[in-house]
Amino acid sequence: MAAELSTSINIKEPRWDQSTFVGRAKHFFTVTDPRNILLTNEQLANSHKVITDYRKGIISPGLTEDELWRAKYVFDSAFHPDTGEKMILIGRMSAQVPMNMTITGCMMTFYKTTPAVLLWQWINQSFNAIVNYTNRSGDAPLTVSQLGTAYVSATTGAVATALGLNALTKHISPLIGRFVPFAAVAAANCINIPLMRQRELKHGIPITDENDNRLGESTNAAKQAISQVVVSRILMASPGMAIPPFLMNHLEKKAFLRKFPWMSAPIQVGLVGFCLVFATPLCCALFPQKSSILVSRLEPELQEKIRANNPGVERVYFNKGL
């Protein structure tokens, strides 16, 4: 008869060591697994029950350690770490690869005309707005006006960048023109993410000690979190938007694509998808999900509060969001 599973496994933390890049990469390869979006509501509910029961010290009969970790990652893929609410399907990290490969592939195929730029940049920013809202840090809600401002600003910034660069590259090599969508995406990320998370910049995000005891909210921690997310998002898009242009520029000179020009979009989508399968988890792993900041770098009044109530705390922790 198998021994009963221990109740001392720390499922609040990822299975792998998050102080190393390799450990974080293993974690995010699991979190961003596209197969997770195919899970049924029943499977999600079952994982939710397994995890909530385990946290209360209740172990399902016959549950193994591998099954517990699988349930934890299914749970994490669908439920927000701070609010506990079920996340919008296309906003989950497991939807990043299939959604981004389709949108990015089409952005990079249909970039030469103004209507095409408008359409695909709008679709991309609509998707980004959903992802940024779904994966925000903290438990504070955004108002409809804040969501609208972020969405409109990022879409306008992306379209203006794309159209402006398209105009500048008309008389340059067609290869350079293929990089216009990437520049537009990078510019939009710098606008969209801070605006979508503007409440965190105004009011701060929850910070805790190493034992998850909440110590307050910090705007300085929010700035660090958002900066890290902007960097990782731009780098995440880089391979899929930097490598395919060279390949497509070469392939479009070949007889096959001249004979079947409609194959350009599916090939581009496939190339982007291949890049994103690796770039998404690896770039998510650049910074620890549970990031930290020295108490000395927090706001002065928060430093005083922490030093008065928790004199031994030198470093605090926060969820940076994705």
Side-chain angles (χ1 to χ4, degrees):
M1 186 173 177
E4 188 172 294
L5 188 65
S6 168
T7 56
S8 62
I9 299 170
N10 184 10
I11 58 170
K12 287 184 179 179
E13 300 296 332
R15 187 172 192 175
W16 298 279
D17 181 6
Q18 296 299 285
S19 66
T20 68
F21 176 75
V22 172
R24 294 195 296 271
K26 287 179 179 178
H27 168 69
F28 280 110
F29 267 107
T30 308
V31 169
T32 61
D33 186 342
R35 293 173 298 179
N36 286 338
I37 62 174
L38 302 175
L39 296 170
T40 64
N41 285 330
E42 185 181 353
Q43 289 172 304
L44 295 178
N46 181 60
S47 293
H48 189 282
K49 184 178 185 304
V50 168
I51 296 304
T52 51
D53 281 354
Y54 187 83
R55 286 173 177 170
K56 295 174 186 174
I58 303 168
I59 300 175
S60 306
L63 183 70
T64 66
E65 185 173 346
D66 282 341
E67 288 171 343
L68 175 66
W69 282 112
R70 173 60 185 155
K72 178 228 173 4
Y73 275 101
V74 168
F75 178 89
D76 286 352
S77 76
F79 298 92
H80 193 278
D82 292 326
T83 65
E85 66 185 17
K86 187 186 285 187
M87 295 185 284
I88 303 162
L89 181 64
I90 63 170
R92 299 173 193 170
M93 292 310 291
S94 51
Q96 283 285 293
V97 172
M99 291 298 297
N100 269 327
M101 67 184 280
T102 305
I103 295 170
T104 304
C106 289
M107 272 199 301
M108 296 177 69
T109 303
F110 311 110
Y111 66 93
K112 293 180 181 178
T113 67
T114 298
V117 169
L118 289 170
L119 174 65
W120 286 105
Q121 290 294 342
W122 169 70
I123 290 173
N124 186 50
Q125 291 313 313
S126 298
F127 172 63
N128 281 347
I130 293 170
V131 172
N132 292 336
Y133 174 73
T134 304
N135 294 282
R136 68 199 182 281
S137 175
D139 47 18
L142 280 170
T143 65
V144 174
S145 65
Q146 287 171 331
L147 281 171
T149 300
Y151 174 57
V152 171
S153 301
T155 305
T156 303
V159 169
T161 303
L163 292 178
L165 290 176
N166 266 348
L168 290 173
T169 56
K170 278 181 180 176
H171 307 295
I172 310 176
S173 163
L175 177 60
I176 296 174
R178 289 182 180 276
F179 289 94
V180 167
F182 174 53
V185 166
N189 272 329
C190 294
I191 299 168
N192 195 330
I193 296 171
L195 281 172
M196 193 60 67
R197 296 175 60 175
Q198 60 187 287
R199 197 181 191 287
E200 298 169 38
L201 291 170
K202 288 179 184 175
H203 303 288
I205 56 176
I207 56 169
T208 66
D209 62 17
E210 60 184 359
N211 298 315
D212 288 331
N213 298 309
R214 191 157 171 167
L215 303 175
E217 290 77 35
S218 168
T219 55
N220 286 3
K223 291 172 188 174
Q224 179 174 309
I226 291 168
S227 299
Q228 290 176 345
V229 171
V230 169
V231 170
S232 62
R233 287 283 189 87
I234 291 173
L235 292 176
M236 194 186 296
S238 300
M241 300 190 85
I243 297 171
F246 289 106
L247 297 174
M248 291 305 297
N249 202 52
H250 175 71
L251 291 173
E252 285 181 358
K253 296 173 184 175
K254 302 296 181 182
F256 177 76
L257 279 182
R258 287 183 176 175
K259 188 176 181 182
F260 304 104
W262 57 271
M263 281 295 293
S264 181
I267 291 173
Q268 188 109 254
V269 167
L271 288 170
V272 171
F274 178 78
C275 293
L276 285 174
V277 164
F278 298 97
T280 301
L282 292 176
C283 289
C284 282
L286 287 175
F287 305 101
Q289 182 63 32
K290 186 179 180 179
S291 283
S292 65
I293 186 171
L294 290 170
V295 171
S296 59
R297 292 183 57 199
L298 298 174
E299 302 87 304
E301 63 277 12
L302 191 54
Q303 289 184 40
E304 288 177 19
K305 178 184 171 185
I306 291 172
R307 284 174 178 148
N309 299 330
N310 307 84
V313 175
E314 292 296 328
R315 182 175 288 274
V316 294
Y317 301 85
F318 55 92
N319 171 28
K320 72 174 175 65
L322 287 170

